Amino acid sequence: INENHHQFDEIITCWYKLSTYLTYTEAAPKTIAWEHIDHRVGGLVFLNLLRKRYSRLKGIIALTEESKIFYEKIHGNVFKISNIVGDQYENFEFNLAKKDNTILLASRLDPEKNVKEFINIIKEVDLPKDWKVMIAGTGFIADEVQAHAERLKCDNIQFLGAIASEKMLELYTKSKIFCMTSLGEGLPTTLIEAIFCGNALVSYDCPTGPSEIVNEENGFLVPLRDKQMFKEKLDFLVKNPSDLAKLMQSAHIDANKWKKEIILEKWKFVLE
């Protein structure tokens, strides 16, 4: 890039380490750092030292408002643009009759995703017998998470393992409630995909992202680690089908503000 940047008007980098590296090169003044993650990723060295070098770049694109505020202390040319979720979600036609009584969680099975706590919550919720729980994803503590569910005798939880992206649409199509218990995120695209498919959301208010997606039109935003409230919201939804149906419908409508045509207009503004 340093040798060939003269051929290009602008360079957009999608990895914070590459963005940082380019601050040491002649390409810096034409480079826009497109941050796909929370600004805290990379540890204290990047947070307190290396990200300050972004001031040498042409601009920064952040995923969330919190990250945008952080970068505005470093640079005067900062924009907030979310990711595009894809046509298969935007073209989804909501049909309640095709939905099953399913609670879905899709996540890496790593500690920061806090899935064991989700299992604890499910154990405490008095789910009707016609409801089931699906967990999609894998990770380096997958065996530990499944063993935890077995110890608690959560027989209504089904572990699906790794799911191809094109198969996720089928899961969203069948489920009614989508949950997230993460301790930290960037901008969790799964929440956006879920509302496009008419899922009601129940999510912890972790840094960063859920607070910019979850609202009264699509679900419940629960204070981080408040297991009792998370349990109460889930319990309310599964035992009040008419309220759940209304929330699912309004969630599908609320997803319109995440459509690609809106996001592309922001990109046009940045690049023109």
Side-chain angles (χ1 to χ4, degrees), residues 64-95:
T64 65
E65 187 64 29
E66 184 177 337
S67 289
K68 180 174 179 285
I69 292 171
F70 170 83
Y71 287 119
E72 283 176 335
K73 298 175 183 177
I74 298 171
H75 205 293
N77 196 32
V78 182
F79 307 90
K80 185 181 77 169
I81 305 179
S82 64
N83 293 329
I84 293 172
V85 299
D87 290 340
Q88 69 271 34
Y89 294 104
E90 293 197 18
N91 297 332
F92 180 84
E93 295 184 7
F94 178 78
N95 187 340

Side-chain angles (χ1 to χ4, degrees), residues 84-120:
I84 293 172
V85 299
D87 290 340
Q88 69 271 34
Y89 294 104
E90 293 197 18
N91 297 332
F92 180 84
E93 295 184 7
F94 178 78
N95 187 340
L96 182 60
K98 293 184 178 181
K99 294 278 192 179
D100 296 332
N101 289 339
T102 300
I103 299 169
L104 175 64
L105 182 145
S107 167
R108 294 194 318 273
L109 299 185
D110 296 342
E112 67 271 17
K113 299 302 182 179
N114 201 29
V115 178
K116 289 172 69 174
E117 187 161 312
F118 172 71
I119 293 171
N120 293 340

Side-chain angles (χ1 to χ4, degrees), residues 172-206:
Y172 291 126
T173 299
K174 292 294 185 181
S175 58
K176 292 182 175 179
I177 303 172
F178 187 86
C179 293
M180 176 173 287
T181 50
S182 296
L183 302 178
E185 289 285 342
L187 184 72
T189 305
T190 51
L191 292 179
I192 302 173
E193 293 170 347
I195 57 174
F196 266 115
C197 297
N199 279 241
L201 304 178
V202 184
S203 173
Y204 273 155
D205 185 14
C206 68

Side-chain angles (χ1 to χ4, degrees), residues 12-73:
I12 300 173
T13 56
C14 304
W15 186 33
Y16 69 99
K17 292 183 179 179
L18 179 57
S19 301
T20 302
Y21 170 76
L22 291 184
T23 66
Y24 292 93
T25 73
E26 294 179 359
K30 60 174 64 176
T31 297
I32 298 174
W34 182 13
E35 299 289 279
H36 285 265
I37 38 79
D38 176 16
H39 59 275
R40 299 178 184 86
V41 169
L44 293 178
V45 172
F46 274 92
L47 181 65
N48 297 328
L49 180 63
L50 293 180
R51 279 198 170 84
K52 292 180 180 179
R53 296 190 58 84
Y54 278 20
S55 62
R56 300 168 181 246
L57 302 178
K58 181 176 183 179
I60 304 168
I61 295 174
L63 271 180
T64 65
E65 187 64 29
E66 184 177 337
S67 289
K68 180 174 179 285
I69 292 171
F70 170 83
Y71 287 119
E72 283 176 335
K73 298 175 183 177

Side-chain angles (χ1 to χ4, degrees), residues 100-152:
D100 296 332
N101 289 339
T102 300
I103 299 169
L104 175 64
L105 182 145
S107 167
R108 294 194 318 273
L109 299 185
D110 296 342
E112 67 271 17
K113 299 302 182 179
N114 201 29
V115 178
K116 289 172 69 174
E117 187 161 312
F118 172 71
I119 293 171
N120 293 340
I121 293 169
I122 292 298
K123 177 64 178 178
E124 296 177 14
V125 174
D126 184 23
L127 284 181
K129 294 186 181 298
D130 61 337
W131 276 83
K132 59 185 176 181
V133 180
M134 291 186 177
I135 297 178
T138 188
F140 72 88
I141 64 166
D143 292 342
E144 180 183 331
V145 171
Q146 292 189 47
H148 182 67
E150 292 172 4
R151 271 195 308 274
L152 295 181

